[in-house]
Each structure stands twice: as C-alpha cells, then as structure tokens.
Amino acid sequence: MKRVVIVRHGKAVPYGYDDDFSRDLQPRGKSDAGLVSSELKRRNVKPDLMISSPAKRALKTARIFADNLDYQQADISEVPDIYDGLTTREFVELINNLPEEAETVFFFGHNPGFHYFATNLLKDFRNDMPTTSTVGIDFDVNNWKDIEARTGDLAFHLVPRMFK
C-alpha cells in the first residue's frame, strides 16, 4: 500500500497579496498545524518523505508537521510547481515518480489545487479543504507508478476544528 497525505497550509496573514509567495502564517495557522500534526503522531502516521511548495506559509506548515512527526526539516523537498500550479495529471505524474522505498508521502501546498487533487485522487470526496486540512489517501498498489486518479481510498480527513 502507498499513502499520499495532502496538507493545505495553515491560516495565513490576510495581507501581503502583492507578495503572495512570502505571506506568513498567523498564530492560529501555527497552532492549527500543531494540533493536526499531533493527532497524526497519536495515530502513528509517519512520513517517509515530505514535499512542499516553497511559499513561506506552506513551508512553515511543513516544518511544524516535521517537528511533531520526527522528520528532519532539512529533508523537506521543495517543488516550485506546487506553488505555480499543477493539473491533476501533473500531480499524479509527480506521485508516479516518487522513490519506491517511500510508503507515506506528505505534500504541503495551496487551494484550490490541493482540493482538486483530493477530489480527483479519491474514489469519492465531497468535503471542503479549509486551512490545515489534512487528507490521507491510501492506494492499494505496491508501486507509485501504478497510482491513477480516482483510485484512492480515504484513510482520514483531519481539520483543526475537530481538535478544539
């Protein structure tokens, strides 16, 4: 089995759109990332690989998750195309090229793309993706190259309000 975990970044500051790439997390975004990642740790969900948009708010969210899930921040891979925007097909191609030794891979990024990815990777997904939404998708395959759209099963969908 392979698992993809899609994480929308935490709540960002509501200003700075002239430099959207550098927008930071609000204190709430930081605490929400801590709540959700702590729940993942409690459930024993461990990343083998973390991949993030290089935008400040996504990368900071990834770092909070990394700290709580005992993953080295320095090992977080940054993929600019996640910020720039990927189609579902391009996202599936990114997944298809993951290293086979990884079983659970986390992706950190932005809506609307991450909502589309969750919707298009799962057999059925009709939920919203507010900030810090974390969607675990299980694929009944042994190789990343065998993953296709609309074949994933929902393992979990965590949102911060579940833990407040």
Side-chain angles (χ1 to χ4, degrees):
M1 181 194 75
K2 298 291 188 182
R3 175 176 280 174
V4 170
V5 180
I6 295 175
V7 183
R8 182 179 175 202
H9 65 75
K11 186 79 169 169
V13 295
Y15 53 84
Y17 288 95
D18 52 326
D19 184 13
D20 182 68
F21 187 84
S22 298
R23 286 175 53 223
D24 204 351
L25 291 177
Q26 290 185 8
R28 179 181 138 199
K30 294 173 186 174
S31 65
D32 286 352
L35 285 172
V36 173
S37 59
S38 292
E39 174 62 17
L40 290 171
K41 183 171 185 150
R42 190 189 70 72
R43 294 180 182 208
N44 204 32
V45 176
K46 297 178 181 178
D48 296 310
L49 187 60
M50 286 187 164
I51 300 170
S52 180
S53 157
K56 187 175 191 175
R57 60 196 180 277
L59 202 50
K60 277 197 170 181
T61 302
R63 289 176 179 151
I64 293 167
F65 273 67
D67 286 348
N68 282 339
L69 297 173
D70 302 317
Y71 186 87
Q72 293 296 314
Q73 285 189 18
D75 292 337
I76 298 170
S77 297
E78 295 178 40
V79 175
D81 286 344
I82 293 175
Y83 177 77
D84 295 333
L86 295 167
T87 64
T88 298
R89 179 176 297 189
E90 291 167 333
F91 189 65
V92 170
E93 287 174 6
L94 180 61
I95 292 169
N96 291 156
N97 290 305
L98 291 170
E100 290 304 334
E101 62 272 10
E103 295 295 321
T104 301
V105 179
F106 280 62
F107 290 91
F108 296 84
H110 317 270
N111 269 1
F114 271 36
H115 183 259
Y116 298 149
F117 300 155
T119 300
N120 290 323
L121 288 175
L122 285 158
K123 293 173 188 170
D124 185 40
F125 185 74
R126 298 170 194 220
N127 297 319
D128 287 331
M129 292 272 302
T131 53
T132 322
S133 285
T134 302
V135 177
I137 306 170
D138 288 342
F139 295 92
D140 189 19
V141 298
N142 293 319
N143 300 297
W144 291 110
K145 64 179 173 49
D146 296 328
I147 289 179
E148 298 175 353
R150 303 215 186 271
T151 61
D153 292 307
L154 183 65
F156 52 82
H157 182 199
L158 305 176
V159 293
R161 70 176 171 269
M162 296 169 72
F163 310 104
K164 293 182 179 182

